[in-house]
Amino acid sequence: MKILQIVPSISLIYGGPSQMVLGLAPALAKANAEVTILTTDSNGDNGQKPLDIPLNIPIKKDGYEIIYFRCAPFRRYKFSLGLLKWLKDNAKNFDIAHIHALFSPVSSAAAIVCRQQNLPYILRPLGTLDPADLQKKKQLKNLYVALLERGNIAGAAAIHFTSEQEAKISARFGVTTKDLVIPLGVIPPKTNTEDVRIKFGIPSDKPVILFMSRIDPKKGLDILIPALEKLLITGFDFHFVLAGTNPQDPIYERKIKLEIDNSQLKLHTTITGFVTGEAKTSLLQTADLFVLPSYYENFGIAVAEAMVAGTPVVISDQVHIYQQVLDSESGWVGTTDVESIVKLLTAALLNPQECQRRGLNAQKYALQNFSWDAIAQQVIQAYQEIIKK
């Protein structure tokens, strides 16, 4: 089976949704599929230099290959005429395409090319069909739907959702679709070899509450920060670590940092910026609690990463794997309001033994259910059924 994975960018700076492809591809290759990733050299939307990689030629990696194309002429929108030309010329050599992202010009155009070349394709919306997300730039998105995405959804062999909740609430714009619900995977962390408490100046005698995600309005920091302030007022002693960035909205990122600087929380906070590699793994393993009170989250890959690291999670019921967290007793789930998050964090901080138990539950569940090898088997079965038709 020859598979195309098409994604606007796989730069680390875009976070989990893009990086997912780099977890799936080697797992598919391990299952004897031939995988080619088509992507661009985009590395941020605010003047950052593009990725320093060879362009237009296959790069072999872990049993699969990646072909990068120059972002041009619209770099901000991760668009590539070269990628689309290559797809048009080579689509006949593949059995199926898996396209990641809607409302992204190169992904939308790739779906059109696939239809023109009679190549069946699956769309993964990355949460963009969530009603809350559709409210952002609503008029522009309505036009985009009318011109492009309704046709792309109608022509798709299937829509890939990463949770039942995402599938349940997602818009289809009047189109009937075949839905696939297949979760994202996580890579089990290696043994922690880096002491991030020393690296980032985190106190060794205080429980660590970790937020590690994109610094974005939808992530619920406007709930979390006042909740943490209330905990300090009531006498809890902890250390908060804010790990993340937002190259697409640096103004909001500065706003959050300024809010912490002007708060009593400042003396109890470490802001690390974007972390990856050993530092990321070590932070996840060092934290006593991982917290993400998002207003909407189609899956919550950061939550799954915390779980596989053995860290209990405190999340909102708008993170769409919340039911798995509840069922496996891997953490605490509340609503998107300050008092709910205060209540959950209080319960967790008052009972370190319960935190430890739920952390062990989280790791066990994640290893069993978010394994890339197991997910690859589900994906291949879906591909095979589509190709047969």
Side-chain angles (χ1 to χ4, degrees):
M1 187 188 309
K2 298 190 69 174
I3 304 161
L4 276 177
Q5 301 285 332
I6 303 173
V7 61
S9 176
I10 52 174
S11 168
L12 285 171
I13 205 163
Y14 294 110
S18 294
Q19 287 288 294
M20 169 267 185
V21 178
L22 294 181
L24 178 61
L28 291 172
K30 187 177 175 182
N32 298 318
E34 294 183 49
V35 182
T36 298
I37 298 174
L38 304 184
T39 190
T40 74
D41 64 349
S42 181
N43 190 34
D45 302 336
N46 289 286
Q48 293 94 333
K49 291 183 179 180
L51 294 173
D52 183 16
I53 34 78
L55 299 175
N56 307 315
I57 58 172
I59 300 171
K60 301 291 184 180
K61 183 178 180 182
D62 297 333
Y64 62 96
E65 64 181 21
I66 307 176
I67 308 177
Y68 293 91
F69 295 89
R70 176 74 68 202
C71 261
F74 310 114
R75 175 165 294 280
R76 176 174 175 79
Y77 299 103
K78 299 185 279 293
F79 189 75
S80 172
L81 290 171
L83 186 154
L84 298 173
K85 183 180 185 304
W86 189 98
L87 178 60
K88 182 179 179 181
D89 293 342
N90 293 276
K92 61 182 179 294
N93 299 322
F94 293 86
D95 298 303
I96 194 166
H98 200 153
I99 301 174
H100 306 266
L102 271 67
F103 298 102
S104 179
V106 75
S107 298
S108 301
I112 293 171
V113 172
C114 286
R115 289 206 302 281
Q116 292 172 343
Q117 301 301 314
N118 295 314
L119 178 65
Y121 63 91
I122 295 171
L123 293 175
R124 183 169 71 98
L126 282 68
T128 56
L129 298 181
D130 187 304
D133 199 68
L134 289 170
Q135 292 302 309
K136 295 190 296 186
K137 301 180 181 178
K138 183 176 179 180
Q139 291 183 326
L140 179 61
K141 285 185 177 178
N142 286 341
L143 179 62
Y144 201 109
V145 166
L147 294 176
L148 295 171
E149 293 303 37
R150 182 181 288 111
N152 286 337
I153 292 171
I159 311 295
H160 174 190
F161 298 107
T162 52
S163 68
E164 294 285 355
Q165 181 70 1
E166 183 192 8
K168 180 180 178 181
I169 68 170
S170 289
R172 309 295 200 286
F173 313 113
V175 175
T176 300
T177 64
K178 174 180 172 59
D179 296 347
L180 301 174
V181 178
I182 303 174
L184 301 183
V186 289
I187 300 171
K190 297 178 181 178
T191 303
N192 177 11
T193 59
E194 182 173 2
D195 191 337
V196 286
R197 287 187 184 264
I198 295 175
K199 180 182 176 72
F200 293 116
I202 300 169
S204 61
D205 58 343
K206 297 181 181 181
V208 173
I209 298 174
L210 173 65
F211 172 96
M212 182 184 287
S213 193
R214 191 170 74 255
I215 300 178
D216 184 274
K218 82 169 191 175
K219 301 293 183 177
L221 284 164
D222 62 327
I223 298 169
L224 179 58
I225 291 173
L228 294 173
E229 290 172 337
K230 286 197 171 192
L231 288 175
L232 287 176
I233 291 171
T234 56
F236 283 99
D237 193 15
F238 60 85
H239 198 79
F240 174 52
V241 176
L242 178 71
T245 187
N246 191 339
Q248 296 170 298
D249 192 353
I251 294 175
Y252 181 76
E253 183 177 346
R254 286 196 295 270
K255 174 180 177 293
I256 290 298
K257 290 178 179 178
L258 185 62
E259 186 175 341
I260 292 173
D261 279 345
N262 293 329
S263 162
Q264 61 181 321
L265 196 58
K266 178 181 179 179
L267 298 176
H268 304 266
T269 298
T270 295
I271 299 175
T272 67
F274 180 72
V275 292
T276 187
E278 284 194 11
K280 176 180 177 178
T281 298
S282 187
L283 273 175
L284 287 167
Q285 293 177 334
T286 298
D288 295 275
L289 289 168
F290 176 92
V291 61
L292 187 67
S294 290
Y295 289 104
Y296 59 99
E297 203 79 45
N298 64 296
F299 181 74
I301 190 63
V303 178
E305 288 175 334
M307 289 170 65
V308 81
T311 302
V313 300
V314 174
I315 62 174
S316 75
D317 58 6
Q318 299 307 305
V319 178
H320 288 173
I321 60 169
Y322 79 90
Q323 194 61 53
Q324 289 97 313
V325 171
L326 286 174
D327 292 344
S328 62
E329 297 186 355
S330 295
W332 292 261
V333 176
T335 53
T336 50
D337 63 88
V338 173
E339 291 306 321
S340 176
I341 300 304
V342 168
K343 182 179 178 181
L344 298 182
L345 289 173
T346 298
L349 291 171
L350 285 174
N351 198 336
Q353 288 184 328
E354 183 63 10
C355 276
Q356 186 177 26
R357 185 184 75 85
R358 296 194 187 203
L360 292 172
N361 288 347
Q363 188 170 55
K364 180 180 178 181
Y365 184 88
L367 288 172
Q368 290 177 346
N369 294 275
F370 300 142
S371 155
W372 273 123
D373 289 344
I375 289 166
Q377 291 301 323
Q378 295 181 57
V379 171
I380 286 174
Q381 183 178 349
Y383 290 164
Q384 289 172 336
E385 291 175 1
I386 289 167
I387 292 167
K388 286 177 182 178
K389 292 181 180 180

